[in-house]
Amino acid sequence: MPWTGTTLYFATWERNKVVAPVAVEGNPGVESISQPRWGMDGTLFFVSDRSGYWQLYRMDRGGIEVKAIKLKGLEDAEFSGPHWQLGGCTYVPLNVDTLVATYTREAANRIIVIDLKTNSYIDPRLPFNNVQGNAIRRVSNTRSVIIASTPTAPKALYLVDLTSPSALKILAKSANISLSSTLFSQAEHVSFPRVYGEEKDGLSHALYLPPLNPNYSAPPNTLPPLLIDLHGGPTSHVSPGLSLNTQFHTSRGYAVAHVNYSGSSGYGRAYRDRLNANWGIADIADAASCVAYLAATSRIDPSRVGIVGGSAGGYGVLQALCVYPKIWAGGVSHYGISGLKAPASDTHKFQSHYCDRLLFTEGMSAEDREKVLRDRSPCFHADRITAAVLLLQGTEDKVVPPDQASEMARVIEENGGEARVVLFPGEGHGFSTEREHGQSGEGGRGMAGEDFGGSVDGVLVQAADKLLKLCPRPLTVVSLFFLPATLSIFFLCFRPLHLP
């Protein structure tokens, strides 16, 4: 994969072919290079993790020496991320002597302006904390456009003028919302010790958002229920920019923790490599350790914890329910992998060898590979699951075949557990059609028993409503909430705050 190792070349393009390619930098499997681009004077810039973090480098025009752009105090910052698509841009030359760049530290993004003559930088103190992907473009010597979000505003396209950086101009919005910012819970980056799993060295990380609604308060002497969210990838991470999905829960009395588990980007190469040969082990151990930490610090009620995730995060949900069944009250898997054999042996070209590094050690025998695939496939261990499970799946998913979800539910039910499958006709790996999102404005009405007019949202509520009787734990109130932007129902067997 691009974040595993790459080699950077430059060459001449003559008569529709590459002529005389020259290797500049890189070591496959060891050093990841990304975002090469030319400066206005012919300087070649790129990002490499040769230091252990994705840092900026340059090679002057006509030269052969690669030089690090050393920025004091930012040695452990990451100036790039995992390139799942081509064309990412997290830095751009404004003129011969100036770069505008975004870096990641503790999952948050910041914008800085770099003086290439002195290898120094200034922080224009822009309000953004999430700037990812193909996010920056030059407009002039002093202006750029940036796609970013803030703690209280969703992603938007901003025009930034460095002569007056505080005078931001919004060119386009991803969403128009009329909610008061007093409703928005602020993400806190937490680092916590590993108390689950075989390898307990070092710290893992998460973004914790406490419940917040100024119009309501919790019952006396109670702690909130917790929703653990596992991101997909698994090579990616969650940033603290405003997420309306998350705020939907926190405004209704739930604490939410987005776990940037071992293998996540944004924390350096060594952290990313912790998942090598440990997918389905280290990631879910970090999720369980996050619950233990938040409980030990009196932030949540450990008897009322649910877990949710999509794709690789959905796999983490199912695996966590199998390996640590006593922790969870319920789980929701969005198109999650339940059997690893298919993605490990038959997937699209880009990811055709991704699972090799995530699951197997170098030189592992075919017999041992088969054992790993079976040991870490939740479908073979579903009898261990004690929490109620909801599986959401598209009928046209080519990454996770729909029959995986149906088989998972069958095994759970045969062993006395409770599970339901909701299939979305025509949907692939992820839910994107208009009808799935058509009722997003109805999210605030998402309590069980309300009418969604026969929409797909109504199907979700009806399916989740069946789970009301199935929760294996003593039940005071079972809350069913519809998450409009991701089409998920989360069912948790516990009492939320006193909210309408």
Side-chain angles (χ1 to χ4, degrees), residues 70-71 105 133 321 330 333 374 407 454 481:
K70 297 182 179 180
L71 303 174
R105 179 184 274 166
L321 292 172
S333 170
R374 186 175 183 87
E407 178 65 12
F481 292 133

Side-chain angles (χ1 to χ4, degrees), residues 120-193:
S120 60
Y121 65 93
I122 60 171
D123 182 349
R125 300 192 178 280
L126 300 174
F128 313 136
N129 63 358
N130 185 9
V131 185
Q132 293 185 359
N134 191 9
I136 304 178
R137 284 291 183 270
R138 176 184 182 274
V139 176
S140 70
N141 284 351
T142 61
R143 296 191 301 166
S144 61
V145 287
I146 298 173
I147 301 173
S149 57
T150 77
T152 57
K155 282 187 178 180
L157 178 64
Y158 292 88
L159 176 64
V160 179
D161 191 334
L162 294 180
T163 62
S164 55
S166 61
L168 294 173
K169 182 178 181 180
I170 299 177
L171 303 178
K173 295 181 179 181
S174 62
N176 289 305
I177 58 175
S178 57
L179 299 173
S180 169
S181 61
T182 60
L183 280 170
F184 297 147
S185 179
Q186 300 297 303
E188 174 192 357
H189 187 272
V190 295
S191 299
F192 50 90

Side-chain angles (χ1 to χ4, degrees), residues 35 47 54-56 71-81 90-91 100-114 121-124 128-132 136 237 239-240 266:
Q35 298 193 60
V47 180
W54 272 311
Q55 295 272 297
L56 290 162
L71 303 174
K72 187 176 180 180
L74 296 180
E75 294 85 358
D76 62 348
E78 299 246 85
F79 285 86
S80 189
T90 54
Y91 75 93
V100 171
T102 177
Y103 69 86
T104 303
R105 179 184 274 166
E106 294 189 341
N109 303 116
R110 294 287 183 268
I111 297 286
I112 59 171
V113 182
I114 301 171
Y121 65 93
I122 60 171
D123 182 349
F128 313 136
N129 63 358
N130 185 9
V131 185
Q132 293 185 359
I136 304 178
H237 72 272
S239 291

Side-chain angles (χ1 to χ4, degrees), residues 48 50 66 87 166 182 187 205 236 284 334 346 383 387 464 468:
S48 168
R50 62 195 289 187
V66 172
S166 61
T182 60
H205 311 285
S236 65
I284 63 169
H334 305 212
D346 183 21
D383 58 305
L468 285 170

